Amino acid sequence: MTTYLAEPVVFGEQPLSIENINVLSQRRAQVLLQDDAAYREMIAKGPRFLDTLLDKEGVIYGVTTGYGDSCVVAVPLHQVEALPRHLYTFHGCGLGQLLDEASTRAVLAARLQSLCQGVSGVRVELLERLRAFLEHDVLPLIPEEGSVGASGDLTPLSYVAATLSGEREVLFKGEHRSAAEVHAELGWTPLVLRPKEALALMNGTAVMTALACLAFSRAEYLLKLATRIT
């Protein structure tokens, strides 16, 4: 059983601090998700709204259209369910070394907190699975080199989306293993991402934010050290 040195970190409507992200990156705090009925209803409104638009055959960017400059390309309704998988598959082209464990935990925490604001159209089940990844230390293997900036950390975050879906590889209990195998060991069913969910996971700056939080912590330490030395 893990012994935590800090107070639990609750993901939900309230903001997190840089210190929260850094504590989680070192596995020093339990990870909780806001669980009151009002909060869950707020999260559920997003997917319901998307379903309403789809029922009306409305045009929804990244759901019934392509992405970026391809937004003028319509996606037939019978292919809408397949679009999320194609999105994270297309971006799975990272290179270089893998992010270290602390950085990967920070990425998961930053992405979870962003989605917890209830404006991304994702299900509470996706939030719970991200929380479970942190709690059980299931870490997607994310290459350091890939698209970062502008419209989001698309390539590195595709590895988060894919592993939530039981694809690609994760670090679990010190070993590189297939995400599908780890899901089975933990008794989880891999998520089948709904329309908009892959876009919500990938089109953000969670990697930049996470690495900036860790960099801030190192800079703060060096500042204190330099002050004491002088």
Side-chain angles (χ1 to χ4, degrees):
M1 183 176 179
T2 304
T3 301
Y4 297 107
L5 303 177
E7 292 295 314
V9 175
V10 181
F11 287 83
E13 296 175 280
Q14 298 302 312
L16 295 188
S17 65
I18 292 175
E19 290 75 18
N20 290 146
I21 298 294
N22 282 285
V23 162
L24 291 172
S25 76
Q26 300 300 323
R27 295 206 78 202
R28 292 169 51 204
Q30 185 180 9
V31 186
L32 302 177
L33 183 66
Q34 186 176 335
D35 198 35
D36 57 275
Y39 176 72
R40 285 182 166 262
E41 173 59 22
M42 182 191 77
I43 295 297
K45 284 181 179 178
R48 281 207 305 267
F49 178 65
L50 282 173
D51 287 343
T52 299
L53 289 180
L54 284 172
D55 288 342
K56 296 177 181 178
E57 298 191 24
V59 176
I60 311 168
Y61 173 76
V63 176
T64 60
T65 75
Y67 305 100
D69 289 342
S70 297
C71 64
V72 295
V73 177
V75 176
L77 287 179
H78 70 276
Q79 293 182 337
V80 163
E81 298 287 340
L83 194 60
R85 186 168 187 271
H86 285 293
L87 180 65
Y88 67 69
T89 299
F90 176 78
H91 283 283
C93 55
L95 298 169
Q97 297 182 0
L98 299 172
L99 292 181
D100 61 33
E101 295 176 37
S103 298
T104 305
R105 294 186 194 108
V107 168
L108 293 176
R111 182 73 294 178
L112 175 56
Q113 179 61 10
S114 176
L115 297 178
C116 278
Q117 304 311 298
V119 293
S120 301
V122 304
R123 296 164 292 165
V124 72
E125 289 84 359
L126 189 151
L127 305 182
E128 289 171 339
R129 184 58 53 82
L130 271 173
R131 186 208 68 82
F133 264 42
L134 278 168
E135 187 68 20
H136 292 272
D137 210 30
V138 180
L139 304 179
L141 299 184
I142 304 175
E144 287 183 343
E145 297 180 25
S147 57
V148 175
S151 64
D153 305 331
L154 301 172
T155 292
L157 288 175
S158 78
Y159 290 83
V160 177
T163 51
L164 288 170
S165 305
E167 299 186 30
R168 302 187 197 170
E169 291 188 314
V170 297
L171 178 67
F172 184 61
K173 297 181 179 179
E175 296 181 356
H176 290 190
R177 298 172 59 185
S178 76
E181 182 181 306
V182 172
H183 272 77
E185 181 173 322
L186 293 171
W188 299 344
T189 300
L191 297 178
V192 177
L193 297 180
R194 284 175 47 82
K196 181 73 164 59
E197 288 186 334
L199 183 62
L201 280 163
M202 292 169 52
N203 196 24
T205 57
V207 177
M208 285 186 278
T209 301
L211 298 182
C213 287
L214 299 185
F216 178 90
S217 181
R218 293 195 300 272
E220 185 178 44
Y221 168 76
L222 289 173
L223 176 61
K224 291 178 180 178
L225 184 63
T227 301
R228 288 170 182 169
I229 290 172
T230 57

